[in-house]
mmCIF file of all heavy atoms in Angstrom:
data_model
loop_
_atom_site.group_PDB
_atom_site.id
_atom_site.type_symbol
_atom_site.label_atom_id
_atom_site.label_comp_id
_atom_site.label_asym_id
_atom_site.label_seq_id
_atom_site.Cartn_x
_atom_site.Cartn_y
_atom_site.Cartn_z
ATOM 1 N N PRO A 4 4.379 3.762 -5.010
ATOM 2 C CA PRO A 4 5.286 2.942 -5.804
ATOM 3 C C PRO A 4 6.618 3.651 -6.012
ATOM 4 O O PRO A 4 6.708 4.865 -5.858
ATOM 5 C CB PRO A 4 4.540 2.769 -7.119
ATOM 6 C CG PRO A 4 3.565 3.886 -7.170
ATOM 7 C CD PRO A 4 3.228 4.235 -5.763
ATOM 8 N N ARG A 67 -44.090 4.706 6.810
ATOM 9 C CA ARG A 67 -42.857 4.609 6.019
ATOM 10 C C ARG A 67 -41.696 4.021 6.821
ATOM 11 O O ARG A 67 -40.685 3.642 6.261
ATOM 12 C CB ARG A 67 -42.471 5.993 5.487
ATOM 13 C CG ARG A 67 -43.252 6.370 4.253
ATOM 14 C CD ARG A 67 -43.123 7.826 3.976
ATOM 15 N NE ARG A 67 -43.539 8.596 5.154
ATOM 16 C CZ ARG A 67 -43.528 9.912 5.216
ATOM 17 N NH1 ARG A 67 -43.122 10.619 4.193
ATOM 18 N NH2 ARG A 67 -43.929 10.544 6.302
ATOM 19 N N GLU A 84 -33.657 8.512 20.631
ATOM 20 C CA GLU A 84 -32.715 9.505 21.141
ATOM 21 C C GLU A 84 -32.335 10.498 20.070
ATOM 22 O O GLU A 84 -32.298 10.165 18.887
ATOM 23 C CB GLU A 84 -31.449 8.806 21.652
ATOM 24 C CG GLU A 84 -31.547 8.464 23.124
ATOM 25 C CD GLU A 84 -30.541 7.411 23.521
ATOM 26 O OE1 GLU A 84 -29.367 7.572 23.143
ATOM 27 O OE2 GLU A 84 -30.945 6.434 24.191
ATOM 28 N N SER A 118 -46.954 -4.079 -5.803
ATOM 29 C CA SER A 118 -47.708 -3.776 -4.583
ATOM 30 C C SER A 118 -47.294 -2.416 -4.042
ATOM 31 O O SER A 118 -46.115 -2.056 -4.067
ATOM 32 C CB SER A 118 -47.435 -4.823 -3.500
ATOM 33 O OG SER A 118 -47.767 -6.092 -3.978
ATOM 34 N N VAL A 190 -25.972 -4.193 -16.803
ATOM 35 C CA VAL A 190 -25.144 -4.742 -15.729
ATOM 36 C C VAL A 190 -23.696 -4.375 -16.030
ATOM 37 O O VAL A 190 -23.218 -4.594 -17.148
ATOM 38 C CB VAL A 190 -25.286 -6.272 -15.636
ATOM 39 C CG1 VAL A 190 -24.419 -6.816 -14.500
ATOM 40 C CG2 VAL A 190 -26.742 -6.657 -15.400
ATOM 41 N N GLY A 249 -28.048 -6.359 -4.154
ATOM 42 C CA GLY A 249 -29.423 -5.997 -3.829
ATOM 43 C C GLY A 249 -30.413 -6.606 -4.815
ATOM 44 O O GLY A 249 -31.462 -7.139 -4.440
ATOM 45 N N THR A 286 -26.762 -7.920 13.252
ATOM 46 C CA THR A 286 -25.745 -8.607 14.054
ATOM 47 C C THR A 286 -24.708 -7.595 14.538
ATOM 48 O O THR A 286 -24.163 -6.847 13.730
ATOM 49 C CB THR A 286 -25.029 -9.676 13.198
ATOM 50 O OG1 THR A 286 -26.006 -10.581 12.708
ATOM 51 C CG2 THR A 286 -23.983 -10.420 13.993
ATOM 52 N N LEU A 292 -16.763 -10.572 14.981
ATOM 53 C CA LEU A 292 -15.338 -10.683 15.286
ATOM 54 C C LEU A 292 -15.082 -11.882 16.197
ATOM 55 O O LEU A 292 -14.122 -12.622 15.997
ATOM 56 C CB LEU A 292 -14.835 -9.393 15.931
ATOM 57 C CG LEU A 292 -15.013 -8.135 15.070
ATOM 58 C CD1 LEU A 292 -14.485 -6.910 15.803
ATOM 59 C CD2 LEU A 292 -14.301 -8.280 13.729
ATOM 60 N N VAL A 319 -18.164 -2.159 19.643
ATOM 61 C CA VAL A 319 -18.405 -3.441 18.978
ATOM 62 C C VAL A 319 -19.889 -3.776 18.955
ATOM 63 O O VAL A 319 -20.293 -4.778 18.383
ATOM 64 C CB VAL A 319 -17.635 -4.600 19.652
ATOM 65 C CG1 VAL A 319 -16.156 -4.492 19.384
ATOM 66 C CG2 VAL A 319 -17.929 -4.641 21.132
ATOM 67 N N PHE A 374 -16.498 27.711 4.088
ATOM 68 C CA PHE A 374 -17.129 26.597 3.378
ATOM 69 C C PHE A 374 -17.856 27.035 2.107
ATOM 70 O O PHE A 374 -17.780 26.374 1.082
ATOM 71 C CB PHE A 374 -18.064 25.856 4.323
ATOM 72 C CG PHE A 374 -17.378 25.366 5.558
ATOM 73 C CD1 PHE A 374 -17.784 25.776 6.809
ATOM 74 C CD2 PHE A 374 -16.283 24.512 5.466
ATOM 75 C CE1 PHE A 374 -17.129 25.339 7.946
ATOM 76 C CE2 PHE A 374 -15.623 24.067 6.598
ATOM 77 C CZ PHE A 374 -16.046 24.493 7.839
ATOM 78 N N HIS A 411 -20.976 19.000 5.489
ATOM 79 C CA HIS A 411 -21.931 18.941 6.588
ATOM 80 C C HIS A 411 -22.380 20.354 6.971
ATOM 81 O O HIS A 411 -23.562 20.639 7.116
ATOM 82 C CB HIS A 411 -21.265 18.238 7.767
ATOM 83 C CG HIS A 411 -22.106 18.148 8.993
ATOM 84 N ND1 HIS A 411 -23.205 17.336 9.069
ATOM 85 C CD2 HIS A 411 -22.020 18.790 10.195
ATOM 86 C CE1 HIS A 411 -23.759 17.469 10.267
ATOM 87 N NE2 HIS A 411 -23.061 18.346 10.960
ATOM 88 N N GLU A 421 -30.333 26.398 -1.310
ATOM 89 C CA GLU A 421 -30.323 27.674 -2.019
ATOM 90 C C GLU A 421 -29.655 27.536 -3.374
ATOM 91 O O GLU A 421 -30.168 27.949 -4.386
ATOM 92 C CB GLU A 421 -29.513 28.710 -1.232
ATOM 93 C CG GLU A 421 -30.296 29.454 -0.195
ATOM 94 C CD GLU A 421 -29.346 30.226 0.698
ATOM 95 O OE1 GLU A 421 -28.408 30.850 0.161
ATOM 96 O OE2 GLU A 421 -29.541 30.179 1.921
#
Side-chain angles (χ1 to χ4, degrees):
Chain A
R67 279 165 304 180
E84 269 162 48
S118 302
V190 180
T286 302
L292 301 180
V319 289
F374 304 120
H411 178 70
E421 273 168 44

